[in-house]
Amino acid sequence: QLLGLSEGGVSWLGDTKYAFISVVLVCIWKGYPLVMVNALAALQSVSTDIYEAAKVDGANKIQTFFRIILPSIKPVLATTLILDTVWWFKHYTIVYLMTKGGPGSDTSIVSIEIYKQAFDYFNFGKAASMSVVVFFVCLIISKLYRRFLDNEDENSPWGNEAFEIVKWNRHVSDTGILRGHCADTYPVDGVNFH
């Protein structure tokens, strides 16, 4: 209204055009910190020795990302992806507090529908069966994620080779200065940084 784009106020939760988008943005805003904290923790857990070994072998930043960083943080990213996907199925509280599934049924999600079936319409059997279906959908999605991410190691161009490319020996001298040298560098399955 201040910019002159609309003459009246916008009903973000009452208008059918904006209600779903508003709820989705709030849900993303709520889930974003967890994903970022997990990604940051995963990035901080990658050993600097691996970076140094890749640098000694002549890896550029793109090769280091795809062959070192991504395989190292993939287990954390997989767990975060599974948790975030399952949590998208249970965004009951945000949707219920914001719109209760309305206007009409524009923001109605599975968890709201299960609640309505059980406590508004007293169809406990239908609500229980819907809950079981949601459980199996989440289970199948998590199994597919795990299968895809576990098989990716064998089929991807970066795979698990990052840990086999360089054997890094660290020696600490008597003065406490870290002195590293590359003991063996060898290509694994045709992968070579040079």
Side-chain angles (χ1 to χ4, degrees):
Q1 189 174 4
L2 292 173
L3 298 175
L5 298 176
S6 67
E7 294 178 10
V10 176
S11 177
W12 293 104
L13 301 176
D15 192 344
T16 58
K17 289 191 298 188
Y18 302 117
F20 187 74
I21 294 169
S22 301
V23 169
V24 167
L25 289 175
V26 169
C27 290
I28 290 172
W29 185 27
K30 177 189 170 268
Y32 179 77
L34 173 77
V35 173
M36 288 300 106
V37 166
N38 285 341
L40 179 63
L43 287 171
Q44 289 177 344
S45 71
V46 178
S47 174
T48 57
D49 294 342
I50 299 174
Y51 290 117
E52 293 172 5
K55 190 174 183 181
V56 167
D57 262 3
N60 60 28
K61 291 185 186 281
I62 294 172
Q63 290 170 327
T64 302
F65 177 76
F66 282 110
R67 297 179 191 221
I68 304 294
I69 298 171
L70 200 58
S72 298
I73 67 173
K74 192 167 60 168
V76 174
L77 291 180
T79 304
T80 304
L81 183 65
I82 290 169
L83 285 173
D84 201 39
T85 302
V86 170
W87 285 338
W88 270 98
F89 279 93
K90 41 178 254 167
H91 275 292
Y92 168 79
T93 52
I94 292 176
V95 176
Y96 190 79
L97 289 173
M98 290 178 70
T99 64
K100 293 187 181 179
S105 62
D106 285 344
T107 59
S108 185
I109 56 175
V110 173
S111 55
I112 295 285
E113 188 60 32
I114 291 171
Y115 176 84
K116 285 181 180 178
Q117 287 296 324
F119 301 111
D120 289 348
Y121 311 133
F122 299 108
N123 293 331
F124 295 109
K126 187 174 183 180
S129 63
M130 290 172 70
S131 299
V132 170
V133 168
V134 168
F135 168 75
F136 280 113
V137 167
C138 291
L139 182 69
I140 289 169
I141 289 172
S142 67
K143 292 290 184 185
L144 289 174
Y145 279 157
R146 294 303 305 174
R147 177 167 292 168
F148 173 72
L149 292 170
D150 288 344
N151 287 341
E152 191 176 86
D153 286 341
E154 300 162 3
N155 300 327
S156 72
W158 53 86
N160 231 359
E161 302 155 354
F163 301 106
E164 299 173 11
I165 291 174
V166 176
K167 291 182 182 175
W168 183 259
N169 290 331
R170 293 172 53 196
H171 300 287
V172 178
S173 66
D174 296 332
T175 60
I177 299 171
L178 181 66
R179 197 175 72 235
H181 69 277
C182 193
D184 297 311
T185 60
Y186 53 91
V188 177
D189 295 331
V191 175
N192 196 347
F193 287 133
H194 301 294

